[in-house]
Every structure is written in structure tokens, then in C-alpha cells.
Amino acid sequence: MITFMLNGKEIQVEVPPHWTLLRLLREKLCLTGTKEGCGIGECGSCTVLLDGMPVNACLILAPKVEGRRVETIEGLGSRESLHPLQKSFMDHGAIQCGFCTPGILMSSKALLEKNSQPNREEIKEAISGHLCRCTGYHQIIEAIEALKE
Amino acid sequence: MNMRQVGIEIPKVDVLEKALGEAKYGADLPCQEPLHLKVLRSPTSHAKIVRMQMEKALRVSGVERIFTAKDIPGKNLVGTIVKDQPILASDRVRYIGDAVALIAARTEEAAEEAAQKVVVVYEDLPSIIHPEEALHPHAPLIHEKGNLLLEFHVIKGDVQKGFKEAEVVVEETYTTTWVDHAYLEPDAGISYLDEKGRITIVCPTQNVHYDQKEVASVLSLPLDQVRIIQCSTGGGFGGRLDVTIQCLLALAAFHLKQPVRIVYSREEVFQVTSKRHPLTIRYKSGAKKDGKLIAIEVDILGDTGAYASYGGTVAIRSAVHATGPYQVPNVKVRSRMAYTNNSWSGAMRGFGVPQMAFAHESQMDLLAQALKMDPIEIRLKNCLRVGSETATGQTLTASVGIGETLKKVKEWRDKLSLLKDDSKKPFIKKGVGIGSMWYGIGNTGIANPSTAQMEIDPDGEIRLFTGVADIGQGSDTVLLQIASEAIGVSLDEIRLIRADTAVTTDAGATSASRQTYISGNAILDAIKNLKHSAIQEASQLLNIDENDLFFENGKVKSRTCLTTSIPLREIAKRCAKILKGEGSFDPETTKLDPQTGQGVPYATYAFATHLAEVEVDTESGKVSVNRVIASHDVGKAIHPQNVIGQIMGGVAMGTGFALMEEYVPGEKTSFVNYLIPTSKDVPEVIPIVVEDKEPTGPFGAKGVGEPALIPSAPAILNAIAEAIGQRIYDLPANLERVLGAVQKRKLA
Ligand code: FES
Ligand code: FES
């Protein structure tokens, strides 16, 4: 049994010790917004925030999140109140197939929380761990840039 | 025409659920206690299956059943055109990764464990690795009918005479390698029996109606007993045109009568899905002193690997596009596609044209160099225009924007050359290169229809039915825009019903950049028919002659009585029935002559030119593409942001094709050793949209999906050649090849 904060709520859940956080989220907690594109830490589609830092959920063993704070795409915004990043991604054409989108949104959130005025190079750096095969990244970068204060 | 829905910037219709993480991709689909499927695959590239022993595997706790070829009730062969690929190999495997058994178990772990306990005894057969070897008269046969899948020719004029008249001739050989689509979502899906007892498969795909036919044939079921529903699809790029998991899922659900689920690992996707065809292109071009092309002779040899898939299509399309977007009076092209025991190649964004463009654009630069001409000038001199005749004898009558794309790029280039300065680091060499292309929209010289329906019910709901699979490129939105523009109601008033074989009709594949043009036209046809029936009904309701009525902005109006107007919804309500319009469209093409390739392969073509600026580090071999100016004639941009998105994504994929992507059959591959461009590898891109309207296109539109990628690699390779003074003839231009070229230059 592990206890952690998930999208602002404390939860307790039974999980086999060899399960990854990604598997826990997707299979047990039915949070399928976090994607698995490779399973080995190379594509970034499984990115969630752990205590505010972007991590590859496919590389984190579930028991490691005990007592910590996990944020996933499901906690980012809702239909009623979209996170500005979600809105900006939609408006800038930053979403094509959308498979990379949840992970990149989470990394972008972490970036903007740390640095509200990122320049293009900093944005590129922040999302460089994410593969996107559809967009060529430009509209994603523009969507993030548009949120500079 | 004053358009309200076409040519505007609106968020795509599917992006809200994607931004929220709610969209369900293959592995996200809810499914009540499914059995998990795992495929056992061949470790060897060519062998006879002597025997299989399942006993130990069946004893693994949780294993329900293991299927082999014997369990397939129908035809155990699939393929888009030539059906030669077994779902499960029965007696022989032909590449590393061929499926031999399918395990169904209660947990993924049990399925994995069982897969390791199945014993398959193979007897190795000689493997063929090179297509030349495959075509040797005494080569062992990979398929009974022989190792040549297809040979195709394009013959025009008199090449011998042409080369005699030529004042400059260049001849080189170009090679390209296997490229993976690397769509980000690994193949995954579910299958179950729906409430009507139909075998239902929900999965990512580019063509639900094709999948349905294959599954029905494999299970020997009537078509209406198979239902395919496309879920959110994490990219395709041609890789989901062949069936991947569909028949495996269906086979298991058919026998087990309970829900099943399969999720490929990334390594499995690399190993068993199709690849871009490696082509070897021997290319000879002749021109007059003024730069006018007079003859080309091209020999293309492709490697389709173990199975046909789209190999024939690629052989034909490569040949048809061999000239590039230029007028050449004398043409001789031979294109052959051979089987080998390599990974099978299939459709990938461009069907052979990206490979050909690398060759013809290198040749254009070589000619320019030999004639001391400007690379843009030589292209402008030769490029197709209205009235030109192509190599297949087709006269182009409209929407030939290649010249315009070149002129737009030239404006940029002329500004750049002023800016060009010498770097402080002498080992960094800079270069600028041009690449142009043409691309026929839709299938090549064969019927290529799409169908659609538009209806309005008495409650006022307006529905658009289409079989088109949106794979992220945005066809759902574009087709809705076309419909809403044509019918005169706003986009959100139309409900889209899509890509489900139970409720939509065949729209053909999301491939060949054809859906905007072909399905867009099918929708316009449906609306024309819907308007017609609305006018008929209105005529009865209003007691006005049909000829006095016309349709405008969602209403039927009278020509003579200007105050008479009745909205579409009102008509449906008052006549208390569903008003419906059936639509179809098949572009006007002709079959190509089997000996000479002459004919009209496509109704329209897209054109593009890219300019790439590169920096080559001559010490490490690293090439940085700093900027690409990408100029595209798309006819009309229905959704400009989408068009730009395609261009941006195409340039990125083209950069990967040019510099880094190379799949090696049989090697364990993941994103660790198969690199695709990241945010740090992609150039700045300046997209330029040229709108030379296509009269037969919906609102003038053509297509852009594949054209977006095609000119990038040629432009980059030409830029590298300019930077280091030595040309690279083999893709990708990776570190070793660039260093090799630098070395060669030094020695020269
Ligand atoms: S799935 Fe975790 S990095 Fe790819
Ligand atoms: S939008 Fe398809 S992978 Fe990024």
C-alpha cells in the first residue's frame, strides 16, 4: 500500500513493487491520459510531474512516489476550466495526432513555473526529451512562447 | 466567392479531448477483462518451420489458447494489392519478425512467459539480402511466383537521340535506406463481439474499410459480420495502411468469443511494421547548353523485403515521378521491385517520391554546376507549366504552381546571399541548397473513389458521414469546413460520424495526400444531392416550381419572390423525414499503358520547393540545418494552420530522412539507436503557401501531407554539397558519410 498526492488529492493504493508509476496510473487508476510511447525513457510521452519536476513515469517504480506529489494531464485542466497551456496548444495548432501532447504539456507547465519568461532556446531545451513525429515542434514552441508573461 | 468556413483559423475539432488527455488511443480503450495477446515471431530471416511444440507453453498458468496458422478459417494471406503475407506463418518464415503463433492469456506476464516456452524448430533456408541477388536467375525463391514483384516502364520520345543532342550529360547512382514511420503511438487495440454478434475491432488505422475486407477474408466471414472502428490514432504516415494488429485481434476474438487486447512494444513496432523502401537509382540526365533538359534515363531497383505490401505502387509511382517537376521530351525509366528476406517495406509518406526527388534534384544541381548556371534558374527553365506534357503524356491544364514556388524561394535566396558571411570557425562550412518536387494526388492510374453522405433529420440535426480516418493531420476538421461552407451552416451545427464500417461507407485510404481532394469532393457531391432533394421538398411544401427555387446559406429561396425563403431544418421538420444526399467522387485518370507507362495517372498534382541553409562541421561531420524556406502550391489552403502544421512536420521528417534515419533489418531497434529529430534538431522553417487553385478541387484545394516532406532531403543534400564541395549520393548523410565526403574532397 502506498500513499501519495495525485492531482491534488491524497490517495492510497495497493501496487506490486515492480510496477512502474506509468503502469499504476494507466492500469490501476485508469488515468490513460499519460501515454507509453517507448517504455524505456526515450520518448517523453509518459511525462508526469513529481514534486513539480517532469519525470518519465515509465522509469519510476511506483513505490518511489510514496509521500510525494504527482501531477498528470488529468489534473492539468478541465473542460470547464482549461489550463492556459491547453488552450494555447489548441489555438496554435500544436496538436496533430496528440499522442505526445499530454507529456509535452506537463513539461511545459514545469518550465513556466520555474521560468515565466523562457526564450526559444529554453523552450526547445525543456521539450527536447519529447519526441513528436507530427508537428516538427514549431507550433508547440509557439504555443508555449505565447504564454510568456 | 466570399467564404466563411474555408481558409480560416479555427482549432481542430478533435483537439480539446486530446489536450485534456481524454482521447482514447489503442492502448487506452476500455475493455471488460480482456485476454492479452502476444505474438511469437521468427528469429531467423528465412527458414522452414519443421515443427512447433506448445505443451509447455500451454501449461503456463493463465494461458487460454495458442493459435497457429491452422486456426485461420479463411484465407491466410493479406496485402493491399498482392496478397502474399500470412497472418501466422504456416510452413515458412521470410523475415526476422514473421508471426508464427498467437498466445492469448489472462495476464500480459503469462502471455510473455508462454511465448518463451513455445518450441519452434526451424530449418534455415538461404537468405537473400540484396535485391540484385534476388533477381539473379538462380536465386532461391522467396515466393513461388519469383522474386520480381513488379517491373514498370515509362517511355517517351527517343532517349538515344536525346542524349546525342545533349551538350552536357551527368550520370550518378543514388541509394536510400529503410526508414521507419516512428509514429508515436505503438499499435494497440481491442476486439470483441458487439451487440449484434459482429467481430468488432477498435484500433488505430488509416483505412477502416480496407481492414474490414482483410479481416473478413481471413475469418471467412461476410463483410457485414466484421466491424472496424478507428480510435484516436497516434500518427500513421503510411505505416497504418497495411493491417498490423487487426487480423490477430479478430482471430482471437472469433475463436474465444470474449474480448481481447493487444499492445505492441516499441521494439515490436520497429521490427514488424512496414518501412520506407530502399531504392537504388541510376540516373542519367542530358541537357542543352542553355540548361534545357533533353533526355533522362533512369533505372530504379527497390527492395520490398519479404512481402509485397505497397511495393508495386512504389515502383510505379517512382517511375512516374522520375523526371521531377520538369518537362523532359525524351524519357526512359525502368523500375523494378524485388523480394528479399529483409523487413518488408510498404507505404511511407511519399511512396517512393522522396527517394526519387533526392536523385532528380541532385542531378539538377550537377547539371547546373556543369553549365555554370544558377540552381534556381535551371529549374525555372525546365519546370512544368500549364500546357506542359509530362513523361506519361499527360497535358497539364491548370494549377501548376511549381514556377511560383521557385520564384518565392528565389526572392528569399537573393536576400540571403547578401547576408552570407564567413564564419570565424574555418572548419564550419555553410551552404544553401534547393529541392523541388511534384506529387500526384491520389492513387496512380487506378480507380480511387470516395463516398460520403450528408443528411438532416426532422429534429434538425445535420449529419456528415464519412469513412475517412483522421490520423492527426486534421481531415475531420477540413471535411467539416468543406461541408459547412457548401451547405451554409456553421461548423459546430454539423455532427460528424466517421471511420466506423458499421455506419459509414468506403472513403478509401488516408494516403497519397488524397482525402481533402477526393473525399472533400465526395462531400460536395453529397451536399449537391442534399440540396436537390431539399429543393424538391420545398417545392411541394411551398407550392412553387422547382426551377424557381435555389439554395443559399442553408436556406431554399425563390428567385422571383425575394421574401420567400425556408431554412433546411424547417424543410426537414415540415416534411417529417430525413433529407439525405449521397455523394461520391473518383478523380479522372486513365490506366497507364503497361509497356510505356503512358496515360493520365492523376487528376492533379501538388508542387513544392524548399531551400535549406546548412552548416557542416567538417571536423565532426555534424550537419546543422539552420533554416528551411518551404514553398508549397496546395491549390487552396482550407485550413491554413493545418497546412503549415503539415509543412513543419514534413520538414522535420525530411530532415531525419536526410541526416539520421536508418533502420537495419533484424537488429534490435528502439529510440535509443533509431534517432528521429527532436526540438533541437529541427531547423527554423518559413512556410510559404502558394494557392494556384485546382479547378476540380474542393474550393480549389489539392493536398499537402506528403509534399511537405519530399523536397527537404534534396534541399539539405544540395546544401551540404555546396558547403563542402563534395556531393553525397547515399542517404542518410550521417556523420561517417559527411566525414567521408570531406576526406574525399581533401584528396581531390
Ligand atoms: S514511454 Fe516513458 S519515455 Fe517513452
Ligand atoms: S502530435 Fe503526433 S507525435 Fe506529436
Side-chain angles (χ1 to χ4, degrees), chain B residues 173-233:
Chain B
T173 300
Y174 302 86
T175 69
T176 68
T177 189
W178 292 274
V179 177
D180 190 77
H181 305 82
Y183 41 69
L184 210 61
E185 181 206 5
D187 296 274
I190 59 174
S191 180
Y192 53 89
L193 303 184
D194 76 355
E195 66 291 347
K196 291 192 174 145
R198 284 179 291 209
I199 297 279
T200 305
I201 295 126
V202 192
C203 64
T205 173
Q206 294 182 237
N207 189 350
V208 287
H209 287 89
Y210 165 70
D211 295 351
Q212 181 191 33
K213 287 181 206 117
E214 290 290 33
V215 169
S217 148
V218 166
L219 296 183
S220 194
L221 287 174
L223 267 189
D224 64 2
Q225 285 305 299
V226 176
R227 178 180 186 182
I228 312 282
I229 304 171
Q230 187 212 7
C231 61
S232 288
T233 297

Side-chain angles (χ1 to χ4, degrees), chain B residues 621-643:
Chain B
K622 186 173 164 33
V623 177
S624 310
V625 186
N626 291 341
R627 183 154 59 172
V628 169
I629 317 295
S631 175
H632 285 262
D633 167 24
V634 302
K636 164 82 192 163
I638 305 281
H639 192 295
Q641 188 187 62
N642 240 359
V643 167

